[in-house]
Amino acid sequence: MGLLVCPPAATANVPPTRTVDESALRYYAAQQNAERVEAEIRRLKTLHPGWTPPEGLYSGQGWSNPEQDLWDLFAADRLDALRREISRRQAEDPAWQPSEELLAKLARKEARSRLIAASEADDAPEVLAIVGADPMLLTVEDLDVLWRVAAAYARTGDARRARELFQLPLSGDVSPDLKRTSAQKAIAALPPQEAAVLIAQMRDRSADARPPHLAAADPDAADLDDLETALARRWIGARLDDAGTPPVPAALVERLARTAAETPADAHLLGWHARANGDHAAALARFERADPSGNDPEATLGRVLSLNDLGRDGEAIALAHAGRTASQPLADIFLALVTARLTEDPPQPIGDGKLADFAQAVKTRRSAEGAQALGWYAYRAGQPRPAAAWFRLAMDWQGDAKTAEGHVLATLAAGDAGQARTLISTYGARFPQVAKLGRPTAPASASSTGTAGPLAAAHRAYKSGDASGCLRRLDAAARRSSEAELLRGWCLMDLDRPREAARAFARAGDAKGRIGRDAAYGRSLALLRLGDTFEAVEAARRPDLETGRQTEIARAALAQTAARAFQAGDYRATLAALDKRRTLTAEPRDLMLLRGWALLRTGAPDAARAVFTTLDRQLSTRETRAGLAALADGNRTAARSVLRR
């Protein structure tokens, strides 16, 4: 299409019809926006070779734009209002059409708005779909859109195209500040190895552009150093998040190390990086340099973990204990480290102060793992009652089969067979292995019968936990043998009928060999349960009874003797029985409490205080607190009232 002839001067105030749409150009000129005017001139020359911009562009030379109000709406980003105004004019004059330039720029601006909205919503596929429909959105003159599209490519896994877009401003006619910003955005968005390529290219271009004697003083070189430091932080962070990230180049690690002395966060990062690489000694050194005063919780956490991985778990626990109130992660690691130590086989000792603080933390955090660890620790130390209390807490919070097993075993060890049966019934449905606990194991001589007949059926019932069925089958037997009476005694013990069990064991006690020995042992247990301590000890004096069983009976008898002496007010006899029992086995918590009160009553307050303090640190209860209170204020009446409950 050729150029139209200009109208005569008399009609110069009417804008001529043009093949080149100069409306945007004139609008920008009217706004005195020289940068946009130059950009529009370049665009029109590209589209229309040979076209030259009109003279007097900024003065307008009397030319008025009939779309001025539309362009004003466009400039104010009131795009919805602009669309409505276009629709209104077309409704009034169906032959009227806005300029192609206005429509094109409006469509592009609307697309840009949709692209930014999609980018803000992290909808990378939609960002790429919009720019795919209008590639002209991508220009170095609109870096915000270019950066958003590059980030969308990176997010969808197309790192190469993302890097190419980030490179455009770096090699174009863009201000140094915008180049730096573009590089920073590339470091944040690209995989670190791709960002490294980009930074290396920048350094190469910078080196090529300056004489060697000016290289050291070049401010751009300092900027590149800062960018490499940022890249080192990004790369190490990515490697910590994903072990599949390529290893961080040594040069970047060294670059970050130069800032670590002034920037604690960089020292932390280097410490975590060393830990991720398995170099715990280097990590420990990094964390120690980062926080010489020990006041930084993150550095302290790094030191604790590194010490533990170096096998210095005692130091790790001490450090975590000291800093547990400073941060939640330190409190968590204190719980984890002590739990691990208590569950070792054999359990490793923990200082009383740390153990008490650990117990308090377990209750505060409702840590099922910590409560279970304390349960097993107390159980192995011969303190079944506090063990049962900790297992019960663990079951309340988040019990598992092992916790349920510990609860039953500790309850049995405390001598509460009835409660143990209740627990077995409660837990057995959830944890089948728990159902096998709690019954006295039938001695070999009591289970050696054949597979046929009432006695064999009674054995099978006993093994399955059906003590009542066992008795019914024994009653149906044709004769009462020593073996049958021995089995009857165990079934009666299982039903908590110790008096009848003692008589059954006595009837089997005349037998020779294993049956006789097992009957003597069973009768001693039954008599102990009845509280007949002297007779229980006498029953265990059988010469051929195993030493281990005799010791077991002696321990139980001495515990009963101590308790009876205390109730009778004979506190010295109480201590004598406890001292003798202590030569046979460790003293459980309930007997330690008895010892504390006996010491208090015999005028040994310092010894009593040591006992009550130890117990209170392990597990603070009403009884331990009452003992300490009695020592503190001499309130013996209050102490006696607690004992009577």
Side-chain angles (χ1 to χ4, degrees):
M1 179 182 295
L3 292 175
L4 297 178
V5 178
C6 292
T11 59
N13 288 336
V14 180
T17 302
R18 299 172 181 270
T19 56
V20 178
D21 188 347
E22 299 175 351
S23 56
L25 176 65
R26 292 184 178 277
Y27 171 74
Y28 294 138
Q31 297 293 316
Q32 300 297 309
N33 191 336
E35 185 177 351
R36 296 304 301 269
V37 166
E38 294 301 320
E40 186 67 9
I41 289 173
R42 289 195 299 272
R43 189 185 71 83
L44 291 176
K45 284 184 175 181
T46 300
L47 293 175
H48 305 283
W51 172 85
T52 58
E55 297 179 1
L57 187 59
Y58 287 98
S59 65
Q61 292 186 343
W63 183 85
S64 62
N65 186 356
E67 293 182 342
Q68 183 65 46
D69 56 338
L70 302 181
W71 282 101
D72 289 341
L73 292 172
F74 176 84
D77 286 331
R78 297 176 59 191
L79 305 186
D80 291 340
L82 175 55
R83 283 290 184 189
R84 289 194 298 271
E85 180 60 19
I86 290 173
S87 297
R88 186 191 67 76
R89 291 191 186 187
Q90 287 177 329
E92 290 181 354
D93 182 4
W96 178 84
Q97 289 292 333
S99 64
E100 292 181 3
E101 183 65 18
L102 178 60
L103 289 176
K105 288 186 177 296
L106 174 58
R108 182 153 299 140
K109 201 168 203 180
E110 289 172 332
R112 184 182 189 277
S113 296
R114 293 196 306 274
L115 185 147
I116 291 174
S119 175
E120 293 295 328
D122 289 329
D123 189 352
E126 178 64 12
V127 170
L128 299 181
I130 293 170
V131 79
D134 187 0
M136 295 300 292
L137 284 166
L138 280 177
T139 67
V140 176
E141 291 161 352
D142 192 347
L143 287 178
D144 185 35
V145 166
L146 186 144
W147 291 332
R148 291 175 185 274
V149 174
Y153 275 123
R155 201 169 291 120
T156 56
D158 195 343
R160 181 187 60 80
R161 295 189 70 176
R163 176 163 55 84
E164 290 173 351
L165 287 180
F166 280 122
Q167 282 175 328
L168 290 177
L170 302 180
S171 57
D173 186 14
V174 175
S175 70
D177 286 345
L178 289 177
K179 286 183 179 181
R180 179 178 177 80
T181 301
S182 188
Q184 290 170 335
K185 289 182 176 293
I187 290 170
L190 290 173
Q193 59 272 29
E194 291 289 340
V197 173
L198 187 147
I199 300 301
Q201 291 173 345
M202 290 181 67
R203 190 172 285 282
D204 290 343
R205 282 195 296 271
S206 177
D208 292 342
R210 63 181 184 270
H213 67 283
L214 295 179
D218 188 353
D220 289 342
D223 286 346
L224 288 172
D225 290 347
D226 290 345
L227 289 173
E228 285 185 346
T229 300
L231 176 59
R233 295 183 184 120
R234 168 82 169 85
W235 202 326
I236 291 175
R239 181 135 173 100
L240 292 176
D241 291 338
D242 181 6
T245 302
V248 185
L252 286 180
V253 176
E254 293 172 4
R255 169 72 66 190
L256 191 62
R258 296 171 199 167
T259 69
E262 294 79 23
T263 310
D266 289 344
H268 296 163
L269 203 56
L270 289 168
W272 296 120
H273 180 246
R275 279 187 52 76
N277 290 336
D279 192 348
H280 303 300
L284 178 61
R286 292 285 190 190
F287 289 123
E288 288 175 340
R289 284 198 295 271
D291 180 35
S293 62
N295 296 323
D296 183 340
E298 183 179 351
T300 302
L301 178 63
R303 290 172 63 193
V304 168
L305 293 172
S306 300
L307 284 168
N308 189 60
D309 286 327
L310 289 168
R312 297 159 62 180
D313 54 327
E315 295 175 68
I317 289 174
L319 196 58
H321 175 258
R324 71 192 186 284
T325 59
S327 74
Q328 194 58 58
L330 279 172
D332 291 341
I333 198 62
F334 174 67
L335 272 175
L337 291 177
V338 177
T339 297
R341 174 168 275 206
L342 293 181
T343 52
E344 290 180 11
D345 190 15
Q348 299 301 306
I350 305 291
D352 285 344
K354 295 184 184 67
L355 191 61
D357 289 336
F358 173 73
Q360 183 58 50
V362 166
K363 287 189 282 189
T364 301
R365 300 290 304 282
R366 300 173 68 87
S367 168
E369 295 82 0
Q372 185 186 133
L374 284 167
W376 287 116
Y377 184 71
Y379 180 76
R380 293 188 181 105
Q383 300 182 13
R385 293 194 184 280
W390 283 115
F391 285 128
R392 184 183 66 251
L393 283 177
M395 289 301 297
D396 289 344
W397 295 334
Q398 190 178 357
D400 58 15
K402 193 66 177 174
T403 311
E405 178 184 346
H407 196 185
V408 171
L409 291 176
T411 304
L412 284 169
D416 196 344
Q419 177 64 15
R421 283 196 297 274
T422 300
L423 293 176
I424 291 170
S425 176
T426 301
Y427 298 148
R430 293 167 56 195
F431 310 115
Q433 60 268 48
V434 175
K436 301 176 182 178
L437 301 173
R439 296 185 302 109
T441 303
S445 58
S447 59
S448 58
T449 189
T451 58
L455 186 55
H459 277 293
R460 289 194 293 271
Y462 177 81
K463 288 180 179 180
S464 67
D466 184 6
S468 297
C470 171
L471 291 178
R472 287 195 301 271
R473 288 164 176 79
L474 288 172
D475 290 340
R479 65 185 182 86
R480 290 194 173 187
S481 64
S482 296
E483 185 177 6
E485 288 305 298
L486 177 61
L487 182 58
R488 183 186 301 277
W490 292 121
C491 291
L492 289 166
M493 288 288 283
D494 206 18
L495 292 170
D496 201 19
R497 293 158 62 179
R499 193 172 301 281
E500 297 170 73
R503 290 196 291 268
F505 285 129
R507 289 191 293 270
D510 293 334
K512 303 293 184 182
R514 170 65 68 178
I515 290 178
R517 292 196 299 273
D518 289 346
Y521 171 64
R523 183 165 177 265
S524 293
L525 293 178
L527 290 169
L528 283 172
R529 195 175 295 184
L530 289 168
D532 196 343
T533 307
F534 179 79
E535 288 297 327
V537 173
E538 285 299 310
R541 290 188 185 278
R542 180 172 172 133
D544 57 349
L545 187 62
E546 293 89 337
T547 302
R549 286 181 169 181
Q550 289 181 336
T551 302
E552 178 186 346
I553 299 301
R555 290 198 304 261
L558 287 167
Q560 284 190 356
T561 299
R564 286 181 176 174
F566 188 89
Q567 292 299 329
D570 190 348
Y571 306 120
R572 297 193 183 281
T574 300
L575 292 172
L578 291 175
D579 288 343
K580 189 170 183 180
R581 187 186 182 281
R582 186 183 273 180
T583 64
L584 300 176
T585 186
E587 196 164 81
R589 183 180 178 89
D590 55 341
L591 294 183
M592 287 184 71
L593 279 167
L594 200 66
R595 178 182 293 277
W597 288 110
L599 288 167
L600 184 61
R601 300 293 176 79
T602 55
D606 291 341
R609 181 176 292 105
V611 172
F612 287 131
T613 300
T614 297
L615 292 173
D616 194 66
R617 286 175 174 174
Q618 291 175 350
L619 176 64
S620 182
T621 63
R622 183 184 64 181
E623 290 82 1
T624 60
R625 292 191 294 272
L628 292 172
L631 286 162
D633 60 17
N635 190 350
R636 303 296 179 85
T637 302
R640 283 196 293 273
S641 69
V642 171
L643 285 172
R644 294 193 191 102
R645 294 174 190 171

